[in-house]
Amino acid sequence: MIRRPPRSTLSSSSAASDVYKRQGQEEVEEQDEEGEEEDVDYFILLGVGRDACSKQIRTAYHKKAMAFHPDRLVNRPEQERKRCENQFNKYKHAFDTLSDPVARRCYELDQQGDVVSEEAYAEVAEIKKEMSAQMMPMLECQFQAVKDLEMNRPGGGLVIISAVYGKFDEPTNESYIDVTVQLQVMVDDSKLILHREGNYCWLEGFHDPCYGQEKVLKLRYLFLEEVHECEFADGQPIFAPLPSHSVKEIKKQERQQKKLQNAALIVGVPVLVAGLYYYFGRRGKK
């Protein structure tokens, strides 16, 4: 299954009352009988065809949701208001899904119920790639603002030096994308925290550079004017900064590890020699 993992009071006029009576009580009860939200057909819920364009979906959503908007139901009984708010949320979720090209295609594939083929996934991935390209101008504007803010923090905030996402096992056939801009925009108050289900390719501005391949995210950043480096398997929670990412700390640990290995070697060689001497000496006496 493909998922993205995937962002006034009610009028007393007779017209508003008629709309509510016509679309409200009966429709809420019908949807409640259908069960959970996942069982609802979003196209039927909004009253549009499966080939509806984004404008038609938006118009249908506004028409359907208007009678159930929470601001229009403040004077309604609590039980009735809760049911209508639930219906409004269903409309909103349907609109959010069908108005997003990637989410819509994923939803359509899920509705088919079959195992998603490589061709179908490639189609979704290409849609995501196009959407990410369209988002880049906006992300680049945010990038500079966030970067300047972090650079001007006392002591130095979290500034992304470089970030690449993809497959690096075969140096002669690398397949990766630069996501420096995308990750810097996600930095908030000198922290980069990302804990979500799904691969990184579904994040804003990301896309899948190599279908069906194991991917990693390699990150290099400045924090408190010190260089940090880390690597995350695709989909793994991201937390930065961490002391263990410090290049200085990494080199320090490597030196300590090397000292331990050398110490073990210094101790181990004499013991080995003594053991061999004892073994062969006893055999010689026999």
Side-chain angles (χ1 to χ4, degrees):
M1 183 177 291
I2 294 180
R3 292 196 182 277
R4 187 179 177 193
R7 40 326 339 110
S8 67
T9 59
L10 180 64
S11 171
S12 59
S13 66
S14 59
S17 179
D18 290 342
V19 169
Y20 178 81
K21 290 178 181 178
R22 184 169 61 253
Q23 296 182 336
Q25 190 77 18
E26 296 179 359
E27 196 162 350
V28 170
E29 291 176 355
E30 289 176 2
Q31 294 298 337
D32 286 343
E33 292 174 359
E34 290 181 5
E36 297 298 324
E37 183 175 324
E38 287 77 9
D39 297 329
V40 178
D41 187 307
Y42 293 161
F43 292 97
I44 295 177
L45 182 65
L46 294 181
V48 298
R50 297 191 177 277
D51 59 348
C53 65
S54 58
K55 183 177 180 181
Q56 291 172 322
I57 292 172
R58 187 182 304 108
T59 301
Y61 165 67
H62 288 161
K63 182 179 179 181
K64 288 277 189 178
M66 183 177 296
F68 298 93
H69 197 284
D71 290 346
R72 299 171 62 91
L73 304 170
V74 291
N75 293 327
R76 294 285 176 175
E78 182 177 357
Q79 183 177 2
E80 184 177 303
R81 188 170 64 250
K82 286 184 177 180
R83 287 193 298 173
C84 291
E85 287 177 354
N86 180 59
Q87 185 65 20
F88 173 80
N89 290 333
K90 289 182 179 180
Y91 286 139
K92 186 176 186 307
H93 189 68
F95 171 73
D96 290 342
T97 300
L98 299 185
S99 61
D100 183 307
V102 175
R104 176 174 177 170
R105 187 58 186 138
C106 290
Y107 174 73
E108 291 171 341
L109 292 171
D110 286 347
Q111 289 293 96
Q112 295 175 8
D114 299 328
V115 176
V116 178
S117 64
E118 292 184 7
E119 292 77 11
Y121 180 82
E123 178 187 353
V124 174
E126 283 301 314
I127 296 174
K128 181 65 170 69
K129 183 177 180 180
E130 293 174 4
M131 289 188 63
S132 296
Q134 295 172 8
M135 292 185 64
M136 286 309 297
M138 177 190 70
L139 293 176
E140 287 170 353
C141 291
Q142 298 176 9
F143 165 78
Q144 197 57 51
V146 175
K147 182 177 180 180
D148 290 344
L149 177 63
E150 292 297 321
M151 290 183 68
N152 292 324
R153 290 187 184 278
L158 198 162
V159 178
I160 307 297
I161 300 174
S162 66
V164 285
Y165 168 63
K167 179 176 168 53
F168 305 92
D169 292 342
E170 302 174 9
T172 59
N173 187 30
E174 290 184 341
S175 182
Y176 61 88
I177 56 174
D178 189 308
V179 291
T180 304
V181 171
Q182 295 89 320
L183 285 183
Q184 183 68 70
V185 170
M186 296 180 190
V187 173
D188 182 25
D189 193 23
S190 294
K191 299 180 184 67
L192 177 60
I193 301 176
L194 183 63
H195 192 186
R196 63 187 296 278
E197 294 183 1
N199 298 337
Y200 299 146
C201 63
W202 302 111
L203 295 171
E204 286 190 349
F206 282 61
H207 67 269
D208 194 337
C210 45
Y211 314 148
Q213 301 292 322
E214 294 293 331
K215 293 172 282 290
V216 297
L217 174 66
K218 293 187 176 184
L219 178 61
R220 185 178 175 87
Y221 62 92
L222 280 175
F223 181 67
L224 298 180
E225 299 183 350
E226 286 190 15
V227 178
H228 293 63
E229 291 181 349
C230 52
E231 184 175 304
F232 301 93
D234 198 7
Q236 180 183 357
I238 297 175
F239 298 96
L242 289 177
S244 59
H245 296 167
S246 172
V247 172
K248 184 184 295 185
E249 183 65 23
I250 293 173
K251 290 182 177 179
K252 179 180 177 181
Q253 292 178 0
E254 289 176 349
R255 287 194 298 268
Q256 291 177 344
Q257 185 66 25
K258 191 173 181 179
K259 287 181 180 179
L260 290 175
Q261 292 174 350
N262 291 337
L265 185 62
I266 292 172
V267 173
V269 169
V271 171
L272 178 61
V273 171
L276 292 173
Y277 179 79
Y278 177 77
Y279 174 75
F280 287 109
R282 293 193 61 180
R283 289 189 62 183
K285 290 181 180 180
K286 291 180 180 180

